[in-house]
Amino acid sequence: LNQGATIMASTGGSGAAGRVTISAGSFSASGVDAVSGFKTIVASRARANSGGQPGSVTLNVRETLRLLDGAALSIENSAQVADPTTIVPATLSVQAGQIQLSGSEITAAATGNANAGRITLASGGSMLFDRSSVRTSALEGDGGPIRLDAAGLVRLRDSRITTSVEGRSNGNGGDIDIAARALLLESGFVQANTSTPRARGGNVTIDVGTLLPNGSNVIIGGNRVEAFRTGLPGFNVIQAAAPDGLSGTLAVTLPQLSLSGLLVGLSTGRIDFGLLGRDVCQVGSESSLTLLGRGAIVAPASGPLRLEP
């Protein structure tokens, strides 16, 4: 898909929006229409005057899913309904061998009084996000949860994973769960915040083998909502803030700042330092000549390794 192409299921009446399901060997969406400004998008929407039930969006891709240059996946509920508890939040689900986003987004939004939908991303390999976002948002409902499950690396480069709520009277932050071999933050944000008074921030669980923030710096926690900024090395944030309510809980793998911890799994054979340590002047077990470096000239660091007598 490209240049403003759209696959959408929507409803403006009392019925539910339809479901969108795509199965493919690979999937790529890119671009924005130069005339209309419309994004290339796959979406399901419940419009403002509808009954408020959006449909799900599901993509099953065997190899690589790519969203580039403004493309988007989206579920949205714009309805204001009499009883929000009757609305079942929709799910945006992606299963792919690799997931790559560059200048794009995956969103689940509720701009009425219902809860936002959920987003689940699963990859048999890595998830790479560059200048992109995966976010759920709600106005007067709860933020939707987000789950990322990768067999390999998750990299956030000038990117964010957020579940935000901006209501005045109702709305807890959505939970965020990230499971991967490693999480690399390069100006990366993970936020489960709410600005609603007396509400609760979402819970953040990051279960990774290694957490690597660039600049060896990451802000974890805090009750002030940090503004997302890009291009600042070392400005990485993980939080579940509720400035006028109760902050969510954080369960985060501590940053891995020692490279030696990353080399444990290497399969390369060990070097025999015994060979390097042998004295080049050694003659036999009974006698030897050893260069001690004493006198006017100190032995240089680049000289041969030797055993002390």
Side-chain angles (χ1 to χ4, degrees):
L1 303 177
N2 55 58
Q3 302 303 317
T6 300
I7 297 177
M8 182 179 296
S10 66
T11 179
S14 59
R19 299 178 179 179
V20 177
T21 301
I22 296 175
S23 297
S26 62
F27 180 89
S28 179
S30 64
V32 177
D33 184 79
V35 177
S36 66
F38 292 159
K39 299 177 180 180
T40 300
I41 191 170
V42 177
S44 180
R45 291 180 177 171
R47 302 187 183 276
N49 296 323
S50 71
Q53 184 59 65
S56 62
V57 172
T58 303
L59 286 86
N60 294 309
V61 180
R62 290 191 303 275
E63 298 177 6
T64 301
L65 177 138
R66 294 184 179 91
L67 301 180
L68 311 171
D69 303 326
L73 305 178
S74 173
I75 51 178
E76 182 177 338
N77 189 348
S78 301
Q80 190 81 15
V81 296
D83 185 2
T85 61
T86 63
I87 304 301
V88 180
T91 298
L92 195 162
S93 175
V94 176
Q95 171 76 53
Q98 300 275 348
I99 296 176
Q100 300 177 4
L101 272 66
S102 179
S104 299
E105 62 180 4
I106 297 175
T107 66
T111 58
N113 61 348
N115 296 337
R118 68 176 60 240
I119 295 175
T120 63
L121 307 180
S123 172
S126 297
M127 298 185 189
L128 308 177
F129 305 98
D130 181 15
R131 299 170 290 108
S132 299
S133 63
V134 178
R135 59 184 177 88
T136 68
S137 59
L139 185 61
E140 292 294 343
D142 292 342
I146 295 176
R147 178 168 180 82
L148 276 61
D149 194 344
L153 169 73
V154 173
R155 185 186 72 184
L156 301 181
R157 180 182 180 186
D158 292 328
S159 299
R160 53 183 170 170
I161 310 295
T162 62
T163 59
S164 61
V165 178
E166 300 179 357
R168 297 180 180 178
S169 60
N170 182 54
N172 297 317
D175 296 340
I176 298 176
D177 292 280
I178 299 176
R181 290 189 62 183
L183 174 61
L184 175 58
L185 299 176
E186 301 176 81
S187 299
F189 274 50
V190 179
Q191 294 175 297
N193 302 328
T194 180
S195 60
T196 304
R198 298 179 298 279
R200 177 187 61 80
N203 299 323
V204 176
T205 302
I206 297 180
D207 182 13
V208 296
T210 301
L211 172 58
L212 280 175
N214 66 345
S216 299
N217 184 62
V218 57
I219 300 171
I220 298 179
N223 206 36
R224 183 186 72 176
V225 176
E226 297 289 345
F228 177 60
R229 286 177 285 174
T230 63
L232 297 177
F235 189 52
N236 306 290
V237 174
I238 300 173
Q239 66 177 172
D244 298 313
L246 179 65
S247 295
T249 62
L250 300 174
V252 181
T253 300
L254 293 178
Q256 174 67 62
L257 304 181
S258 172
L259 289 180
S260 62
L262 304 179
L263 302 178
V264 174
L266 295 181
S267 59
T268 303
R270 295 183 178 180
I271 297 174
D272 183 1
F273 287 101
L275 293 175
L276 296 179
R278 290 178 182 173
D279 194 330
V280 295
C281 296
Q282 186 172 349
V283 176
S285 60
E286 300 297 329
S287 63
S288 64
L289 296 174
T290 301
L291 180 65
L292 297 178
R294 295 173 181 170
I297 302 177
V298 179
S302 60
L305 299 174
R306 53 181 169 70
L307 297 175
E308 293 293 340

